[in-house]
Amino acid sequence: QPMSPKHIAIAGNIGSGKTTLTQLLSARLDWQAYYENPDNNPYIADFYVDMPRWGFNMQVFFLYSRIARIQEIRNGSRHVVQDRTIYEDVYIFAPTLERMHLMDLRDYVCYKNLFDQIRPVIQPPDLLIYLQAPGSVLKQRILSRNREYEQQVREDYLDSLNEFYDRWAGEYALGPKLVYDVESVDFVNNPDDLERIVRDVADCFPDVAIL
């Protein structure tokens, strides 16, 4: 019986390095990369200009596009490294918007109820990698990559996201997880750090030839 494809999902705040690690890890493992493409979200530019008006719309768009992506991954035949998870939307981004009065409470409840209805059919990844980073590092990285719509990102928004991220990652129990502090693990400039991550991944998948 052929082995079912493995699914690694990389979680982390805006600017934490998810896309870069997805790229490096998928190339190193020869697995398929699935990237989040926020530019495809027709609400995102409007959202950063007027968060209270567009927060709910943006989150619903992300929710259904991520469900479609999970189905695509599970129906595929290749091992996959995915940039961002569906859980971050509902446990991190939406509650942050509600807490900061950038999403109406009734919109948040509606969104959360929608997710709760579909949660039983969502398969979690076989491995979660969480990239942890302080707000100051995130802000620096966001400014340096110069995506126009992101330049409006508020620091208090990033700090609130970080708080929810750390809580969610700490409580995450849907499967194995690896956590890296991107201040001390530099997988971009230090090949040894990337190899350390590869070794950790290999330990999580003893039945897959990785190293």
Side-chain angles (χ1 to χ4, degrees), residues 48-190:
Y48 282 123
V49 173
D50 187 351
M51 288 180 166
R53 167 64 186 88
W54 297 106
F56 178 74
N57 307 63
M58 186 183 74
Q59 291 301 138
V60 170
F61 181 90
F62 273 138
L63 184 62
Y64 91 72
S65 57
R66 289 200 214 288
I67 293 166
R69 179 51 60 90
I70 289 172
Q71 289 175 322
E72 194 181 324
I73 288 170
R74 291 299 180 181
N75 292 333
S77 57
R78 291 190 63 190
H79 301 315
V80 164
V81 183
Q82 183 189 16
D83 172 0
R84 186 159 271 158
T85 70
I86 195 168
Y87 305 107
E88 291 161 84
D89 290 307
V90 72
Y91 296 122
I92 292 143
F93 284 87
T96 291
L97 292 174
E98 195 279 319
R99 174 204 268 181
M100 295 177 70
H101 307 292
L102 300 171
M103 183 189 285
D104 191 78
L105 177 61
R106 64 184 172 176
D107 286 345
Y108 172 67
V109 170
C110 176
Y111 174 77
K112 183 81 166 50
N113 289 343
L114 174 62
F115 179 81
D116 288 341
Q117 288 300 311
I118 59 170
R119 185 173 51 186
V121 301
I122 297 170
Q123 276 187 284
D126 300 298
L127 172 65
L128 176 77
I129 297 177
Y130 171 48
L131 301 180
Q132 215 168 15
S136 56
V137 171
L138 297 172
K139 189 70 181 168
Q140 195 179 348
R141 290 183 172 192
I142 289 166
L143 290 171
S144 68
R145 71 185 183 187
N146 206 22
R147 287 181 187 159
E148 189 178 341
Y149 59 79
E150 284 183 348
Q151 302 309 301
Q152 310 295 326
V153 176
R154 291 160 44 171
E155 203 147 345
D156 59 344
Y157 176 61
L158 289 174
D159 290 339
S160 183
L161 290 174
N162 257 357
E163 192 182 321
F164 280 110
Y165 259 113
D166 287 339
R167 183 188 307 169
W168 168 74
E171 295 171 353
Y172 182 86
L174 296 173
K177 70 182 171 189
L178 298 170
V179 179
Y180 300 102
D181 178 348
V182 300
E183 274 198 302
S184 56
V185 180
D186 185 358
F187 48 80
V188 178
N189 300 305
N190 187 343

Side-chain angles (χ1 to χ4, degrees), residues 36-56:
E36 178 186 49
N37 187 356
D39 299 344
N40 284 349
N41 189 323
Y43 298 103
I44 198 160
D46 289 329
F47 167 72
Y48 282 123
V49 173
D50 187 351
M51 288 180 166
R53 167 64 186 88
W54 297 106
F56 178 74

